[in-house]
């Protein structure tokens, strides 16, 4: 569950080799207030014995076919903003680096960094990147290991940006890594995740305007006329 954000590697690679219908959760309506949430005064959810467990809540999130949202990722003094789409293993991530729009596409095995201005893309795999080619985590990623060995503790129920959320703390067994998640009760997906690794480095991901539902396959396809360069061939020539 405690995946690390790896968008930066993809952006750096692209710069180096550059010049080449929804429903469900609904939208978040306010800008993040930087963590000022108000706990439910009645505490009815925290005290109820018949409500779903924390793992059941995340399992509910796992049942969502797809989703789209805006995001803000903060790692120390670095801030990355963008938009993402996810359906099954397919992920599309759109952001801007060095003044250029970059679109990252993945089917879980093969990855593309696409520059619309140049109509060029770089293709690479986990093997090319020695297992370090994962894109940025989507809300769905945090529901995948609900039956794993992570220790999940429920902290409180809060109103986060107008939406009722349960705050969960997930710790990896035999590790100091942990993630604090604000998980929406209605769809079981997190809208804020604070991760801290063993070195004390903190990452904050905010998912905004979250909507869930099936997405069409063509969202995750490159344009037919794009020029694709395979990074494995580039590496072999180098």
């Amino acid at each position: 569950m405690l995946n690390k954000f790896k968008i930066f590697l993809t952006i750096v690679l692209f710069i180096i080799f550059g010049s080449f219908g929804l429903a469900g959760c609904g939208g978040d309506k306010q800008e993040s207030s930087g963590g000022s949430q108000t706990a439910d005064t009645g505490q009815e959810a925290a005290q109820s014995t018949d409500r779903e467990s924390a793992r059941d809540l995340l399992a509910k999130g796992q049942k969502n076919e797809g989703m789209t949202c805006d995001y803000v990722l903060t790692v120390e003094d670095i801030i990355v903003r963008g938009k993402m789409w996810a359906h099954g293993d397919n992920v599309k991530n759109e952001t801007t680096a060095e003044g250029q729009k970059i679109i990252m596409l993945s089917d879980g095995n093969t990855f593309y960094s696409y520059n619309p201005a140049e109509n060029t893309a770089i293709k690479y795999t986990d093997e090319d990147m020695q297992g370090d080619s994962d894109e940025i985590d989507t809300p769905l990623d945090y529901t995948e290991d609900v039956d794993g060995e992570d220790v999940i503790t429920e902290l409180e129920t809060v109103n986060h940006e107008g939406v009722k959320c349960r705050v969960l703390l997930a710790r990896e067994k035999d590790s100091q890594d942990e993630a604090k998640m604000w998980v929406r009760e209605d769809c079981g997906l997190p809208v804020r995740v604070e991760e801290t690794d063993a070195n004390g480095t903190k990452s904050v991901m905010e998912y905004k305007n979250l909507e869930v539902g099936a997405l069409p396959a063509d969202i995750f396809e490159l344009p037919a006329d794009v020029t694709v360069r395979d990074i494995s061939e580039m590496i072999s020539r180098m």
Side-chain angles (χ1 to χ4, degrees):
M1 181 179 293
L2 305 184
N3 299 318
K4 300 310 297 178
F5 299 120
K6 300 175 182 174
I7 186 174
F8 306 109
L9 174 63
T10 304
I11 293 175
V12 170
L13 281 172
F14 194 91
I15 294 172
I16 292 174
F17 296 106
S19 98
F20 299 140
L22 297 171
C25 282
D28 299 326
K29 298 179 180 179
Q30 303 177 19
E31 186 70 18
S32 172
S33 58
S36 58
Q37 295 84 29
T38 303
D40 289 348
T41 55
Q43 298 182 351
E44 73 287 338
Q47 303 302 325
S48 175
T49 59
D50 58 355
R51 71 169 180 171
E52 59 196 351
S53 68
R55 291 189 183 276
D56 288 341
L57 177 64
L58 294 173
K60 179 169 67 176
Q62 195 174 21
K63 296 177 182 178
N64 291 298
E65 286 187 274
M67 48 107 333
T68 183
C69 67
D70 301 311
Y71 69 85
V72 181
L73 168 62
T74 305
V75 184
E76 297 181 333
D77 59 346
I78 300 173
I79 299 177
V80 179
R81 301 175 187 273
K83 185 177 180 67
M84 62 174 60
W85 299 255
H87 186 113
D89 291 331
N90 293 310
V91 177
K92 178 179 180 180
N93 179 12
E94 181 179 302
T95 188
T96 301
E98 299 296 323
Q100 296 185 48
K101 179 186 289 187
I102 296 177
I103 297 175
M104 285 162 279
L105 301 171
S106 170
D107 63 6
N109 296 306
T110 305
F111 302 82
Y112 295 90
S113 292
Y114 169 52
N115 184 337
E118 301 290 341
N119 200 30
T120 58
I122 296 175
K123 175 184 176 182
Y124 57 100
T125 65
D126 266 334
E127 184 177 355
D128 294 326
M129 299 294 102
Q130 298 182 8
D132 200 27
S133 60
D134 291 344
E135 291 189 0
I136 198 167
D137 292 331
T138 75
L140 296 172
D141 290 326
Y142 292 94
T143 69
E144 290 180 349
D145 297 330
V146 293
D147 297 322
E149 295 185 351
D150 290 345
V151 178
I152 301 177
T153 304
E154 182 156 356
L155 303 179
E156 60 180 336
T157 300
V158 301
N159 186 310
H160 178 74
E161 298 185 350
V163 181
K164 193 173 183 179
C165 296
R166 291 164 65 181
V167 183
L168 310 179
L169 182 66
R171 289 191 177 94
E172 285 187 349
K173 212 168 186 181
D174 304 321
S175 171
Q176 296 182 20
D177 292 353
E178 66 178 30
K180 186 176 180 181
M181 302 179 289
W182 282 251
V183 183
R184 288 180 61 151
E185 278 201 337
D186 54 356
C187 60
L189 295 178
V191 289
R192 180 182 175 92
V193 180
E194 298 178 358
E195 289 198 74
T196 305
D197 64 18
N199 297 320
T201 302
K202 184 176 180 179
S203 304
V204 178
M205 171 62 85
E206 298 173 272
Y207 298 110
K208 300 177 177 295
N209 304 314
L210 176 66
E211 296 182 351
V212 299
L215 298 176
D218 59 3
I219 286 180
F220 306 99
E221 297 176 355
L222 286 170
D225 61 343
V226 66
T227 300
V228 179
R229 295 188 177 181
D230 193 324
I231 199 170
S232 62
E233 297 177 1
M234 299 165 67
I235 292 174
S236 65
R237 289 198 298 269
M238 294 172 61

